[in-house]
mmCIF file of all heavy atoms in Angstrom:
data_model
loop_
_atom_site.group_PDB
_atom_site.id
_atom_site.type_symbol
_atom_site.label_atom_id
_atom_site.label_comp_id
_atom_site.label_asym_id
_atom_site.label_seq_id
_atom_site.Cartn_x
_atom_site.Cartn_y
_atom_site.Cartn_z
ATOM 1 N N VAL A 335 34.622 121.794 34.781
ATOM 2 C CA VAL A 335 35.133 123.076 34.448
ATOM 3 C C VAL A 335 36.106 123.088 33.348
ATOM 4 O O VAL A 335 36.231 123.927 32.376
ATOM 5 C CB VAL A 335 35.575 123.759 35.701
ATOM 6 C CG1 VAL A 335 36.418 125.003 35.381
ATOM 7 C CG2 VAL A 335 34.383 124.125 36.724
ATOM 8 N N VAL A 336 37.066 122.098 33.399
ATOM 9 C CA VAL A 336 38.100 121.897 32.373
ATOM 10 C C VAL A 336 37.538 121.602 31.122
ATOM 11 O O VAL A 336 37.891 122.203 30.027
ATOM 12 C CB VAL A 336 39.127 120.893 32.763
ATOM 13 C CG1 VAL A 336 40.094 120.599 31.660
ATOM 14 C CG2 VAL A 336 39.882 121.193 34.017
ATOM 15 N N ASP A 337 36.393 120.784 31.057
ATOM 16 C CA ASP A 337 35.674 120.508 29.814
ATOM 17 C C ASP A 337 35.097 121.872 29.212
ATOM 18 O O ASP A 337 34.858 121.937 27.899
ATOM 19 C CB ASP A 337 34.557 119.517 30.048
ATOM 20 C CG ASP A 337 35.082 117.987 29.814
ATOM 21 O OD1 ASP A 337 35.995 117.866 29.142
ATOM 22 O OD2 ASP A 337 34.471 117.119 30.478
ATOM 23 N N SER A 338 34.718 122.809 30.099
ATOM 24 C CA SER A 338 34.218 124.022 29.684
ATOM 25 C C SER A 338 35.228 125.066 29.235
ATOM 26 O O SER A 338 34.826 126.148 28.851
ATOM 27 C CB SER A 338 33.378 124.556 30.842
ATOM 28 O OG SER A 338 32.514 123.739 31.367
ATOM 29 N N GLY A 339 36.573 124.698 29.289
ATOM 30 C CA GLY A 339 37.486 125.540 28.757
ATOM 31 C C GLY A 339 38.248 126.320 29.987
ATOM 32 O O GLY A 339 39.062 127.225 29.565
ATOM 33 N N GLY A 340 37.849 126.020 31.170
ATOM 34 C CA GLY A 340 38.400 126.802 32.317
ATOM 35 C C GLY A 340 39.409 126.007 33.031
ATOM 36 O O GLY A 340 39.826 124.790 32.682
ATOM 37 N N GLN A 341 39.788 126.521 34.178
ATOM 38 C CA GLN A 341 40.768 125.857 35.064
ATOM 39 C C GLN A 341 40.160 125.707 36.419
ATOM 40 O O GLN A 341 39.268 126.512 36.866
ATOM 41 C CB GLN A 341 42.048 126.632 35.185
ATOM 42 C CG GLN A 341 42.779 126.687 33.807
ATOM 43 C CD GLN A 341 43.953 127.684 33.874
ATOM 44 O OE1 GLN A 341 43.692 128.944 33.988
ATOM 45 N NE2 GLN A 341 45.292 127.242 33.764
ATOM 46 N N ALA A 342 40.794 124.809 37.237
ATOM 47 C CA ALA A 342 40.288 124.560 38.703
ATOM 48 C C ALA A 342 41.445 124.523 39.551
ATOM 49 O O ALA A 342 42.562 123.948 39.221
ATOM 50 C CB ALA A 342 39.485 123.327 38.734
ATOM 51 N N ALA A 343 41.315 125.051 40.822
ATOM 52 C CA ALA A 343 42.350 124.971 41.780
ATOM 53 C C ALA A 343 41.894 124.399 43.069
ATOM 54 O O ALA A 343 40.742 124.756 43.562
ATOM 55 C CB ALA A 343 42.899 126.397 42.004
ATOM 56 N N LEU A 344 42.632 123.452 43.696
ATOM 57 C CA LEU A 344 42.370 122.860 44.868
ATOM 58 C C LEU A 344 43.227 123.351 45.928
ATOM 59 O O LEU A 344 44.460 123.107 45.853
ATOM 60 C CB LEU A 344 42.305 121.282 44.820
ATOM 61 C CG LEU A 344 42.210 120.507 46.040
ATOM 62 C CD1 LEU A 344 40.887 120.889 46.826
ATOM 63 C CD2 LEU A 344 42.417 119.042 45.831
ATOM 64 N N LEU A 345 42.825 124.073 46.875
ATOM 65 C CA LEU A 345 43.576 124.596 48.078
ATOM 66 C C LEU A 345 43.525 123.747 49.146
ATOM 67 O O LEU A 345 42.497 123.496 49.850
ATOM 68 C CB LEU A 345 43.026 126.031 48.340
ATOM 69 C CG LEU A 345 43.818 126.870 49.333
ATOM 70 C CD1 LEU A 345 45.256 127.070 48.738
ATOM 71 C CD2 LEU A 345 43.137 128.154 49.684
ATOM 72 N N ALA A 346 44.688 123.212 49.564
ATOM 73 C CA ALA A 346 44.799 122.239 50.695
ATOM 74 C C ALA A 346 45.605 122.941 51.898
ATOM 75 O O ALA A 346 46.492 123.683 51.679
ATOM 76 C CB ALA A 346 45.538 120.929 50.303
ATOM 77 N N PRO A 347 45.306 122.655 53.154
ATOM 78 C CA PRO A 347 45.911 123.380 54.255
ATOM 79 C C PRO A 347 47.335 122.935 54.652
ATOM 80 O O PRO A 347 48.079 123.744 55.156
ATOM 81 C CB PRO A 347 45.024 123.039 55.489
ATOM 82 C CG PRO A 347 44.385 121.733 55.113
ATOM 83 C CD PRO A 347 44.243 121.778 53.594
ATOM 84 N N THR A 348 47.811 121.811 54.139
ATOM 85 C CA THR A 348 49.182 121.306 54.547
ATOM 86 C C THR A 348 49.790 120.727 53.270
ATOM 87 O O THR A 348 49.132 120.192 52.298
ATOM 88 C CB THR A 348 49.122 120.366 55.641
ATOM 89 O OG1 THR A 348 48.533 119.121 55.214
ATOM 90 C CG2 THR A 348 48.385 120.879 56.811
ATOM 91 N N GLU A 349 51.151 120.724 53.203
ATOM 92 C CA GLU A 349 51.843 120.027 52.083
ATOM 93 C C GLU A 349 51.600 118.576 52.099
ATOM 94 O O GLU A 349 51.482 118.002 51.118
ATOM 95 C CB GLU A 349 53.360 120.278 52.260
ATOM 96 C CG GLU A 349 53.780 121.776 51.928
ATOM 97 C CD GLU A 349 55.237 121.866 51.546
ATOM 98 O OE1 GLU A 349 55.916 120.721 51.448
ATOM 99 O OE2 GLU A 349 55.675 122.897 51.304
#
Side-chain angles (χ1 to χ4, degrees):
V335 169
V336 174
D337 272 333
S338 308
Q341 294 168 294
L344 171 58
L345 185 60
T348 66
E349 286 202 6

